[in-house]
Amino acid sequence: MTAPEALVPARAARSPDKGVPPKDLVVSPASDTQADGPEAEAGLMARLGRLWEREPFRNEAALRPLFGPRLTDVAANRLAHAWCQAYTAAEGKARRAMLALLAAASAGQEQAEEAAARLFRRFNNQPDGLRFLVGLRADMLRWRKQVAGLPALDKALEGLLSAWFDVGLLDLRRLTWDSPASLLEKLIVYEAVHEIQSWDDLKHRVAEDRRCYAFFHPQMPDTPLIFVEVAFSAQMTDNVQALLDTGLPPQNLDKARWAIFYSISNTQPGLRGISFGNFLLKRVIDQLLEELPKLKSFATLSPIPGFAEWLGKLSPEEVEAIVRDKSRERARRGVPDGGRWVSRLRKAAAGAGSEVVQRAGMKLAAAYLQSMKAGAPLDPVARFHLGNGARIERINWAADRSSKGLAQSAGLMVNYLYELDALDDNLSRLNDGKPAVSRAIARMG
């Protein structure tokens, strides 16, 4: 589970048809001439393209009105509209050049941070301005290390987006097979944990015996910001292949006692750093308890995305310190390093795998999941769930034998348990540098 890219590094969104970003990822404010139809819109874009070729946004002085103190300034707002349209029509290097000039113009303002805030408020006042700003910030994050002054501009925009996307403003909606096809298609595009293979696969995930919930912003009602997929079972699930099997009969929800969160996906790279995931899970748990009062327990079936990379960097001595039986004498030679252990675990997960290899793999994964850096769990998914007050409950062998699962974690997955009465205590332990774990996990240490 995860990734609210807040959870895992962002990846390029896929189109279910052509592998290209969907239109809502390259967003633009609506044109003032929208009522005149697509021909007028195309004409406007052509004129703006020619305008860009000739001159207008190529020096800082031309951009100064954008930072003006009056948001009702008609001339400045016309300039903002033209800039947004030209930016949307541009691609690649042209966009980066426009951002570089904007950052330079911002840095030249008195009280630059306040001036940048005025700029983005002016952009936000444009038609469909909020969607435009989310797309703009995605580009800013992409080029922030390459364009001077862009980090300061990004900081100002992130602060505003945090306020404009406050969780209190978001709508929680359940998505079903009866939801609009255009919305269901976005689930295929944005799913970041377990790729949706087909429309039948999607239908299985939003069926009556499953749940899929998403947060929406009122100004972007057609775009889920983050969504979670939920399955139900009589016990805690330990294998994603079985969970995603479309051939299984529907679950009897009257007998369900466990809700399993098996995928969380952030959809907007431009909202990185603005977390709604913890609020989403709490809202969903409340919703599920109201709808299915016989539910007793809540857990995840989550990936361990950084495990193979972490293990691959360990020396033979570091691996041995984790996996060896402390009652036995330390081995002197012939101990595999982490890279060889990654290969060994992948091979074992794809086949039967000896009990010795399985036990070593579980101990290595337990050590990784409890590793901390700068006061936070090293693994991004662990960071999210432990930061919400969950605890590491169980590590599952060969739980994800997909190519992605084998690549990132040698097929291992983990259950995080959300025990509602223990969330605050677990969070306190994490703040003390000791992630909460079950007895079974503790015995692996």
Side-chain angles (χ1 to χ4, degrees):
M1 166 179 156
T2 177
E5 313 331 57
L7 306 185
V8 293
R11 58 167 176 76
R14 325 179 285 282
S15 165
D17 297 320
K18 298 183 179 179
V20 297
K23 291 181 179 179
D24 60 326
L25 289 188
V26 188
V27 292
S28 66
S31 167
D32 284 341
T33 63
Q34 189 173 14
D36 295 331
E39 292 184 1
E41 178 74 12
L44 174 62
M45 298 309 295
R47 291 196 300 276
L48 287 170
R50 290 194 296 271
L51 200 60
W52 163 253
E53 289 296 329
R54 287 202 306 270
E55 200 60 31
F57 307 122
R58 293 195 172 185
N59 62 75
E60 296 177 30
L63 298 180
R64 285 175 191 160
L66 295 174
F67 300 88
R70 289 192 305 111
L71 293 181
T72 55
D73 186 325
V74 174
N77 290 337
R78 285 177 178 168
L79 178 63
H81 183 74
W83 194 94
C84 292
Q85 292 286 3
Y87 187 86
T88 302
E91 296 180 358
K93 293 182 179 179
R95 284 191 172 192
R96 187 167 61 180
M98 292 180 73
L99 276 176
L101 192 59
L102 195 68
S106 177
Q109 303 295 310
E110 294 184 7
Q111 298 179 318
E113 188 172 346
E114 293 181 13
R118 291 195 298 269
L119 166 77
F120 294 128
R121 288 192 182 97
R122 194 180 303 281
F123 285 171
N124 187 44
N125 287 339
Q126 301 301 310
D128 213 13
L130 189 62
R131 190 188 302 269
F132 173 81
L133 286 174
V134 172
L136 181 70
R137 183 164 185 258
D139 285 346
M140 292 169 66
L141 290 170
R142 175 185 174 190
W143 292 315
R144 70 192 311 271
K145 294 183 179 180
Q146 303 173 29
V147 176
L150 210 51
L153 213 54
D154 172 60
K155 181 181 178 182
L157 181 53
E158 180 182 4
L160 290 172
L161 290 176
S162 294
W164 292 335
F165 283 89
D166 183 272
V167 69
L169 302 175
L170 305 182
D171 298 323
L172 180 69
R173 285 158 48 187
R174 179 185 170 190
L175 305 180
T176 72
W177 190 241
D178 294 326
S179 297
S182 60
L183 187 54
L184 292 176
E185 186 179 57
K186 289 175 182 176
L187 297 186
I188 299 176
V189 172
Y190 292 133
E191 167 59 58
V193 186
H194 304 294
E195 182 176 351
I196 297 174
Q197 303 292 335
S198 65
W199 283 100
D200 284 340
D201 186 5
L202 175 61
K203 187 175 183 179
H204 177 62
R205 300 193 194 197
V206 296
E208 284 303 309
D209 65 330
R210 298 291 179 101
R211 295 293 183 271
C212 180
Y213 294 96
F215 267 151
F216 293 82
H217 193 282
Q219 293 185 40
M220 299 172 62
D222 59 343
T223 302
L225 305 177
I226 181 174
F227 61 91
V228 58
E229 298 167 57
V230 190
F232 303 97
S233 66
Q235 60 277 321
M236 189 166 58
T237 306
D238 64 358
N239 184 292
V240 77
Q241 284 89 210
L243 188 149
L244 295 176
D245 186 354
T246 58
L248 291 178
Q251 292 285 321
N252 182 347
L253 294 187
D254 193 54
K255 296 181 179 180
R257 297 297 180 267
W258 285 80
I260 306 296
F261 306 112
Y262 63 92
S263 178
I264 298 180
S265 297
N266 285 303
T267 72
Q268 303 300 304
L271 296 179
R272 188 190 308 169
I274 303 168
S275 177
F276 338 97
N278 53 347
F279 297 102
L280 175 68
L281 286 186
K282 291 170 184 175
R283 289 271 298 275
V284 167
I285 288 174
D286 289 342
Q287 183 77 21
L288 291 175
L289 285 173
E290 182 177 338
E291 184 180 349
L292 302 170
K294 291 185 179 181
L295 289 175
K296 301 298 182 184
S297 302
F298 301 87
T300 78
L301 182 59
S302 299
I304 314 175
F307 174 60
E309 181 181 2
W310 170 83
L311 177 55
K313 296 176 181 178
L314 296 188
S315 67
E317 293 75 20
E318 289 170 322
V319 171
E320 187 191 7
I322 296 170
V323 304
R324 72 185 175 92
D325 186 335
K326 294 180 173 59
S327 66
R328 298 181 180 179
E329 184 179 353
R330 179 174 176 177
R332 297 288 180 183
R333 57 187 175 181
V335 180
D337 62 15
R340 290 173 64 189
W341 265 104
V342 171
S343 298
R344 178 181 290 183
L345 292 176
R346 285 173 178 159
K347 183 177 179 180
S354 71
E355 185 178 344
V356 172
V357 172
Q358 290 186 31
R359 187 165 57 247
M362 308 268 269
K363 293 181 74 170
L364 288 163
Y368 168 67
L369 289 170
Q370 296 175 76
S371 297
M372 305 277 285
K373 181 178 181 180
L378 191 60
D379 185 78
V381 179
R383 193 180 311 138
F384 173 77
H385 290 297
L386 297 178
N388 287 341
R391 81 176 182 217
I392 305 170
E393 186 66 13
R394 185 175 69 189
I395 296 171
N396 304 297
W397 174 259
D400 182 2
R401 290 178 173 174
S402 68
S403 58
K404 181 179 179 181
L406 291 172
Q408 67 183 7
S409 64
L412 290 159
M413 298 189 78
V414 57
N415 297 116
Y416 295 100
L417 181 68
Y418 278 82
E419 194 173 26
L420 302 183
D421 293 337
L423 297 180
D424 289 340
D425 288 343
N426 292 343
L427 193 54
S428 295
R429 292 191 61 181
L430 181 66
N431 291 335
D432 291 337
K434 298 179 180 180
V437 301
S438 66
R439 291 182 180 179
I441 299 295
R443 285 197 294 268
M444 293 182 186

